[in-house]
Amino acid sequence: MKTANIILACLILLAALAMGGYFVSERLAHERDLENYHIAYTELIARYAAEYALDPYLVTAIMRCESSNDPDAVSKKGAIGLMQIMPDTGAWIAHKLGLDDSYRQEQLFDPETNIRFACWYLDFLTRRLEGNRTAIIAAYNAGHGSVENWLADPAYAAEGQLHKIPFPETERYLEKVTTAYEKYIALYPELFGADTVA
């Protein structure tokens, strides 16, 4: 009887230790995620996502994957700012917004201008690609012309859905943005209030 009690006590202790280890492990993983998926410029994202009826978590995920939330980021290809807008694209968006007289390229380093322009562009992609999130994310990286060609090609798409992306960079980009999107929703469920997830 004594031996049975000792064995039972040992089993309970082992179970408690295992449970404690699990919770410690989960806590560390959560802290790592918070560090890797930090938030920035949420007021600007909320404002312009609302203006263009976008999912603010998607804007947040794209910004994180494009620039790691660095407003001074410049890519090797010359894309600028938080949402990595190419100079030609910035000038085109400024024209569409009626800002020809006041717009200067260096404004793409300004967080508000950059996020506003990116949200306008995401709205443009949303309308052009009929709200297809996978296609929108891919087009942000590869351009809407490329994505429209893929959607029209049965080698890459069926029934309006991409099932294969021929650009490895865009395929990786889609995976990164999708992962970031899911992480931000899980980590910050109340960040943008209720009913913001599209």
Side-chain angles (χ1 to χ4, degrees):
M1 191 70 174
K2 231 176 186 183
T3 306
N5 287 342
I6 292 170
I7 291 170
L8 182 60
C10 287
L11 288 172
I12 292 169
L13 180 61
L14 285 172
L17 288 171
M19 205 61 148
Y22 171 78
F23 286 122
V24 168
S25 173
E26 284 293 299
R27 176 72 184 170
L28 290 172
H30 181 73
E31 287 175 4
R32 273 196 306 273
D33 281 346
L34 287 173
E35 189 176 320
N36 289 330
Y37 296 92
H38 60 278
I39 54 173
Y41 304 104
T42 52
E43 288 183 13
L44 291 173
I45 289 170
R47 182 190 314 166
Y48 290 108
E51 182 174 332
Y52 292 105
L54 300 170
D55 182 341
Y57 286 101
L58 181 60
V59 179
T60 302
I62 289 173
M63 185 174 79
R64 186 257 184 197
C65 293
E66 287 288 343
S67 70
S68 297
N69 303 339
D70 178 4
D72 298 319
V74 179
S75 76
K76 290 177 184 175
K77 293 180 181 177
I80 296 170
L82 288 167
M83 304 291 285
Q84 291 290 276
I85 297 172
M86 291 296 290
D88 287 350
T89 304
W92 175 66
I93 294 170
H95 173 70
K96 291 290 187 180
L97 290 170
L99 301 173
D100 291 306
D101 293 338
S102 61
Y103 174 72
R104 300 291 176 269
Q105 182 177 306
E106 52 270 21
Q107 287 175 267
L108 292 176
F109 289 105
D110 169 57
E112 182 165 4
T113 300
N114 198 283
I115 290 169
R116 178 189 181 193
F117 279 26
C119 286
W120 182 93
Y121 185 60
L122 284 166
D123 176 54
F124 166 81
L125 293 176
T126 299
R127 287 181 282 109
R128 189 153 184 141
L129 297 167
E130 300 177 349
N132 182 328
R133 181 181 289 148
T134 298
I136 292 162
I137 295 168
Y140 199 91
N141 178 260
H144 59 83
S146 295
V147 173
E148 285 167 340
N149 289 338
W150 301 340
L151 287 167
D153 189 335
Y156 305 123
E159 298 178 1
Q161 297 297 321
L162 287 171
H163 57 74
K164 184 178 178 185
I165 295 176
F167 292 0
E169 178 193 329
T170 301
E171 188 173 28
R172 286 192 300 273
Y173 180 80
L174 175 62
E175 289 171 5
K176 282 173 58 179
V177 171
T178 301
T179 298
Y181 176 75
E182 291 168 356
K183 289 284 189 183
Y184 278 119
I185 291 172
L187 290 167
Y188 309 100
E190 304 299 324
L191 182 62
F192 296 108
D195 303 321
T196 56
V197 181

